Amino acid sequence: MRRKRAEKRPIEADPVYGNVLVTKLVNKVMQDGKKSKAQEIVYKSLEILKEKTGEEAMDALNKAVNNVRPLIEVRSRRIGGSTYQVPFEVAEERAISLALRWIVASARSKSGKPMVERLSNELLDAHKGTGASVKRKDDLHKMADANKAFAHYRW
């Protein structure tokens, strides 16, 4: 490595819930720098999630993200001309980032409804432990499990 690693910028908690996780979700939903529109979508989705689960919005969001968070992932390692999929543990920061990315991506992939409904439905599915984003986590875990024979290539 020639340069030093860029330092992490602190993320401010959002104004409504006072939580960093909501800010991260807003940033993932945001397109073309339209933050106020993204906040509107996320806050309405959290209200719908609160109504449907009967829990506090933050508790429901935390549970949804925890159900989607991957524990292990596979990374490609090139060893002696062959490429192996080597399982690695996922750092907490990356796990949360992946979870939010998958939730937003699966909400965007659906069509026919407004983004508020799609996001709230995906969060609700994640809260229940079902849905596309949870399936994605399970697929990643299966792949890591199938390739655990190459775990000794970790370093």
Side-chain angles (χ1 to χ4, degrees), residues 113-143:
K113 290 181 182 173
M115 184 59 182
V116 174
E117 284 181 41
R118 290 181 288 171
L119 184 61
S120 63
N121 287 341
E122 190 55 45
L123 285 169
L124 189 64
D125 286 346
H127 182 269
K128 291 177 188 169
T130 60
S133 46
V134 176
K135 185 182 182 320
R136 194 156 176 188
K137 176 195 84 162
D138 292 339
D139 291 346
L140 185 65
H141 281 189
K142 280 181 196 160
M143 191 191 265

Side-chain angles (χ1 to χ4, degrees), residues 73-126:
E73 67 178 343
V74 290
R75 293 185 187 166
S76 296
R77 275 274 183 259
R78 191 161 166 79
I79 291 130
S82 300
T83 305
Y84 299 108
Q85 294 288 318
V86 182
F88 280 87
E89 285 185 19
V90 183
E92 181 148 352
E93 194 73 23
R94 178 165 166 75
I96 291 169
S97 180
L98 282 172
L100 292 174
R101 188 183 310 165
W102 292 344
I103 289 169
V104 172
S106 55
R108 281 212 178 104
S109 68
K110 295 180 176 72
S111 61
K113 290 181 182 173
M115 184 59 182
V116 174
E117 284 181 41
R118 290 181 288 171
L119 184 61
S120 63
N121 287 341
E122 190 55 45
L123 285 169
L124 189 64
D125 286 346

Side-chain angles (χ1 to χ4, degrees), residues 45-59:
S45 294
L46 288 175
E47 284 302 311
I48 293 169
L49 184 68
K50 181 181 176 181
E51 286 172 23
K52 289 187 177 176
T53 59
E55 296 178 28
E56 279 301 312
M58 283 319 309
D59 297 337

